[in-house]
Amino acid sequence: MLNKGSETAAWGEDGFMTPLHRQGGTGTGLRHHRICGPDPQRTRRRTGTGRVSTNVVASTTRGGDLVAPAAGTVLLAQDLGDTAGYTVVIDHGAGVKSIFYCLRSISVKVGDTVKAGDVIAETDRTTIGEVRVGTVPVEPLAIWRGECDALNHY
């Protein structure tokens, strides 16, 4: 799924915004988090995915609004179960995707077109968000805050 999507940069007109802006601003409750796997316990047992993720773990209000950080098309909107829970993936074009996990409920479905600021889900007590360019995880806060010069020159 991370290799699918539009080549056109949907964020070109309106740019990006913080998806949790209605949850208390761009800094409240947000912490940058990097996960590298497999962890040492899994390495000894030869299990684990080796997945690398750079994400934001936010303390959020249960039932709060999660908004689309930029225009795009919904690629995934479903309950993945286990620790991921309700998950939404938005293709912003040109290989850029926003991914949100641990949601209370989802307001969009696969194929929906969203604009920056559209409500896409309800948050739970903790919401995890990440941005990927292709399959590579990148630091999401800089992109969502419009501080990523690379995307400004696309």
Side-chain angles (χ1 to χ4, degrees):
M1 173 187 327
L2 293 176
N3 292 322
K4 293 181 180 180
S6 171
E7 292 184 20
T8 304
W11 75 84
E13 193 169 312
D14 296 326
F16 279 85
M17 65 185 297
T18 304
L20 298 165
H21 75 284
R22 296 179 190 167
Q23 293 278 339
T26 57
T28 305
L30 300 178
R31 62 188 189 276
H32 184 257
H33 187 47
R34 183 169 177 85
I35 302 169
C36 297
D39 65 35
Q41 294 293 328
R42 290 182 175 177
T43 300
R44 283 194 281 279
R45 293 189 309 256
R46 298 180 194 272
T47 62
T49 63
R51 179 177 182 270
V52 176
S53 177
T54 299
N55 58 34
V56 171
V57 178
S59 298
T60 49
T61 304
R62 190 168 195 194
D65 289 338
L66 176 72
V67 300
T73 303
V74 178
L75 289 182
L76 177 88
Q78 71 182 61
D79 184 357
L80 297 180
D82 202 25
T83 58
Y86 285 103
T87 302
V88 173
V89 177
I90 300 173
D91 171 30
H92 301 296
V96 179
K97 295 174 182 65
S98 291
I99 306 168
F100 300 97
Y101 309 94
C102 303
L103 303 169
R104 183 173 186 209
S105 67
I106 299 172
S107 308
V108 293
K109 62 185 182 308
V110 172
D112 284 354
T113 300
V114 296
K115 297 180 293 189
D118 286 352
V119 174
I120 60 170
E122 279 189 355
T123 59
D124 214 328
R125 292 184 190 137
T126 300
T127 301
I128 300 173
E130 67 179 82
V131 172
R132 291 188 176 232
V133 178
T135 59
V136 179
V138 296
E139 201 284 300
L141 289 179
I143 291 173
W144 292 335
R145 291 176 176 163
E147 299 167 352
C148 181
D149 288 338
L151 293 183
N152 291 335
H153 299 292
Y154 181 83

